[in-house]
Amino acid sequence: QVQLEESGGGLVQAGNSLRLSCAVSGRRVTNGAVAWFRRAPGEIREFVAGIAWSGTPYYFDSAKGRFTISRDSAENTVHLQINYLKPGDTADYFCAIRIRSGTYWTEPSMDYWGKGTLVTVSS
């Protein structure tokens, strides 16, 4: 069974950085497409960044420049580095994996989800 567990969230001041981690069990991270989504208070969940089977990263337009997704094959973990945090980044951050073929970054396209980690950015 594939399971994902996020960590690294917390309360941070605007302008600081944070690295979120997604530990995957039951599937190699190099054998799937792993993505980070987030859901801000009162908003729908949105795609933030993903890393394809090939290792190619993808970013939502608003995430380009401040967000970096990477994967660690040895630890079977995918990280999301967020720099210059803004109050607008406050959200629950979820990681998800797609094990079916193809690379798609929509919620229905993902096969397994973690429970999320909360990031709160104070001004």
Side-chain angles (χ1 to χ4, degrees):
Q1 183 173 347
V2 181
Q3 293 182 318
L4 299 89
E5 183 172 5
E6 302 92 340
S7 62
L11 174 63
V12 294
Q13 283 192 322
N16 286 348
S17 300
L18 204 61
R19 188 175 83 155
L20 306 180
S21 298
C22 173
V24 181
S25 60
R27 185 83 175 188
R28 300 296 304 168
V29 292
T30 52
N31 198 19
V34 182
W36 285 93
F37 291 74
R38 70 181 182 183
R39 182 169 60 219
E43 303 290 333
I44 61 172
R45 192 155 52 181
E46 64 177 359
F47 169 74
V48 175
I51 188 160
W53 296 65
S54 63
T56 301
Y58 294 82
Y59 299 96
F60 186 60
D61 284 347
S62 63
K64 292 179 181 177
R66 296 193 298 118
F67 292 66
T68 303
I69 189 169
S70 62
R71 69 186 182 191
D72 185 327
S73 301
E75 295 187 355
N76 213 42
T77 299
V78 173
H79 301 289
L80 182 68
Q81 177 76 28
I82 312 173
N83 297 326
Y84 304 107
L85 280 154
K86 304 175 181 180
D89 294 322
T90 294
D92 279 304
Y93 285 74
F94 302 86
C95 67
I97 188 169
R98 175 182 171 88
I99 64 173
R100 291 169 282 164
S101 62
T103 300
Y104 306 97
W105 305 121
T106 63
E107 286 191 62
S109 300
M110 310 310 289
D111 297 311
Y112 297 93
W113 291 82
K115 294 182 178 180
T117 185
L118 177 63
V119 173
T120 304
V121 183
S122 63
S123 57

